[in-house]
Amino acid sequence: LGLILMKLFIGLFLSAIMWKLDSPFFGALTVNIAVLVFISLTILLEFSNLIISPDDYPIISPHPVNSKTFFFAKAIHFVVYVTILATAIIIIPAVMAAIRFKIWWLGPVIFVSSWGMAMAASLFFILFYTAALKIINRDRMQRLLGYAQLIFVTVIYAGYIVLPRMIEKVTTIDVTSVDAK
């Protein structure tokens, strides 16, 4: 529930951005990129619980469940999970775009394209990590995912701190003060 509320808050933030934009294309692109980033990070953090949970085998193995049924149960769980989180992010900006630009079909188009972006990014991560698990054992993979999370958070926060200062320095350069020797 907390994760869904956080995604709804991100959707509110994106709808405020959508309201300020002048271009429906740029608004849709902003929502798609935000969904790509936030769903990808969520899948990165929840991968071990969502896809390969060590608790699955002891719970399911005593029951007469074959591998196909297990695969379809995991696939349906994955699709429902990503759909709920993506909908929480997408729904408010999609409605806001339709209202802001007065194009009724813009809302459904943004919703479908963003949902497709969320599914594609999530499937990419699943395929990548499944391939990586054939090379790296699970414990080491968890450690590497923790390091990757630390690096992503550091880059994001450093971007908020460093980037504005760099932009300020670039915009205050006086071209006439450069020596033309």
Side-chain angles (χ1 to χ4, degrees):
L1 184 61
L3 194 58
I4 293 171
L5 290 175
M6 187 180 79
K7 301 299 184 199
L8 280 170
F9 180 75
I10 292 168
L12 283 171
F13 179 71
L14 287 172
S15 66
I17 291 173
M18 184 72 73
W19 191 259
K20 293 287 186 181
L21 294 176
D22 293 330
S23 167
F25 174 76
F26 189 65
L29 182 66
T30 303
V31 172
N32 278 334
I33 290 172
V35 166
L36 174 73
V37 169
F38 289 114
I39 295 297
S40 296
L41 288 175
T42 302
I43 295 300
L44 175 71
L45 297 174
E46 297 291 328
F47 183 76
S48 62
N49 296 329
L50 185 63
I51 306 302
I52 50 166
S53 177
D55 299 332
D56 289 342
Y57 183 74
I59 293 170
I60 295 176
S61 64
H63 302 289
V65 176
N66 64 14
S67 61
K68 290 179 185 178
T69 305
F70 181 72
F71 172 77
F72 284 118
K74 279 294 203 178
I76 289 170
H77 175 252
F78 163 76
V79 170
V80 169
Y81 182 79
V82 172
T83 299
I84 289 171
L85 294 181
T87 300
I89 297 174
I90 301 165
I91 194 72
I92 299 171
V95 170
M96 185 64 71
I99 293 170
R100 164 73 172 89
F101 298 110
K102 296 176 181 69
I103 304 171
W104 69 268
W105 51 265
L106 189 59
V109 167
I110 288 176
F111 184 85
V112 170
S113 67
S114 296
W115 180 81
M117 182 73 72
M119 281 297 171
S122 300
L123 287 172
F124 170 77
F125 272 106
I126 287 173
L127 292 175
F128 175 76
Y129 289 131
T130 305
L133 280 173
K134 291 181 179 179
I135 300 169
I136 304 169
N137 69 15
R138 186 177 184 281
D139 293 332
R140 190 168 183 198
M141 183 67 143
Q142 291 291 358
R143 200 171 38 249
L144 290 174
L145 289 176
Y147 293 143
Q149 178 186 2
L150 178 66
I151 290 169
F152 285 141
V153 169
T154 304
V155 167
I156 289 170
Y157 285 125
Y160 284 123
I161 296 168
V162 174
L163 197 59
R165 291 183 183 164
M166 290 176 60
I167 291 173
E168 182 180 313
K169 287 181 181 180
V170 170
T171 58
T172 58
I173 293 175
D174 186 11
V175 179
T176 59
S177 66
V178 177
D179 192 13
K181 289 183 181 180

